[in-house]
């Protein structure tokens, strides 16, 4: 179960990393966080995933993010569905981070684990 603190943190990251992206892309960012939490080879908490060293450029500036109902809705759909990604998609960037590209949504390329 996600706490309100988890939802707030994920919404801030979605805002900071993808506010200008289409809704599906924002939801995809939230799904990447949740997929990592469930994967077993990443931290098991939203805070652990988001603040893991070198993972999200915006993590150090989340206090500046001001998420709206759009980012909160993206988090809610990422949590409850309908989903835009599959559960093994755990990376997004402006380029493919590996050869296992799942999809491109907006300016972000979403990739599965290696």
């Amino acid at each position: 179960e996600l706490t309100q603190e988890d939802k707030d943190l994920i919404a801030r990251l979605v805002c900071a990393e993808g506010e200008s992206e289409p809704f599906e892309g924002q939801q995809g960012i939230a799904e990447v966080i949740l997929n990592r939490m469930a994967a077993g080879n990443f931290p098991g908490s939203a805070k652990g995933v988001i603040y893991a060293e070198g993972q999200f450029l915006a993590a150090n500036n989340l206090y500046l993010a001001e998420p709206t109902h759009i980012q909160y809705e993206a988090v809610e759909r990422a949590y409850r569905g309908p989903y835009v990604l599959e559960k093994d998609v755990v990376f997004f960037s402006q380029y493919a981070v590996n050869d296992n590209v799942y999809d491109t949504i907006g300016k972000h390329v979403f990739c599965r684990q290696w």
Side-chain angles (χ1 to χ4, degrees):
E1 189 69 25
L2 287 180
T3 66
Q4 188 58 49
E5 183 180 351
D6 292 334
K7 291 177 183 179
D8 291 341
L9 185 60
I10 297 168
R12 286 181 173 280
L13 183 78
V14 170
C15 180
E17 293 275 356
E19 184 176 31
S20 65
E21 294 297 301
F23 181 80
E24 292 79 12
Q26 293 185 48
Q27 181 178 334
I29 293 169
E31 286 185 36
V32 163
I33 302 304
L34 298 179
N35 290 350
R36 284 185 179 198
M37 289 170 61
N41 59 327
F42 292 94
S45 69
K47 189 174 185 178
V49 166
I50 290 171
Y51 289 111
E53 188 174 339
Q55 295 303 299
F56 299 101
L57 295 175
N60 291 332
N61 296 314
L62 291 184
Y63 67 93
L64 297 172
E66 296 181 12
T68 68
H69 69 281
I70 294 169
Q71 286 81 42
Y72 281 99
E73 180 63 23
V75 172
E76 196 61 34
R77 286 198 189 182
Y79 186 56
R80 305 208 184 275
Y83 306 106
V84 296
L85 306 177
E86 294 181 3
K87 294 294 181 192
D88 64 343
V89 178
V90 294
F91 300 110
F92 74 91
S93 186
Q94 292 186 353
Y95 57 89
V97 297
N98 63 34
D99 292 333
N100 293 323
V101 173
Y102 176 76
D103 199 1
T104 300
I105 305 172
K107 296 176 186 165
H108 287 127
V109 180
F110 292 85
C111 295
R112 300 176 190 274
Q113 292 205 52
W114 292 289

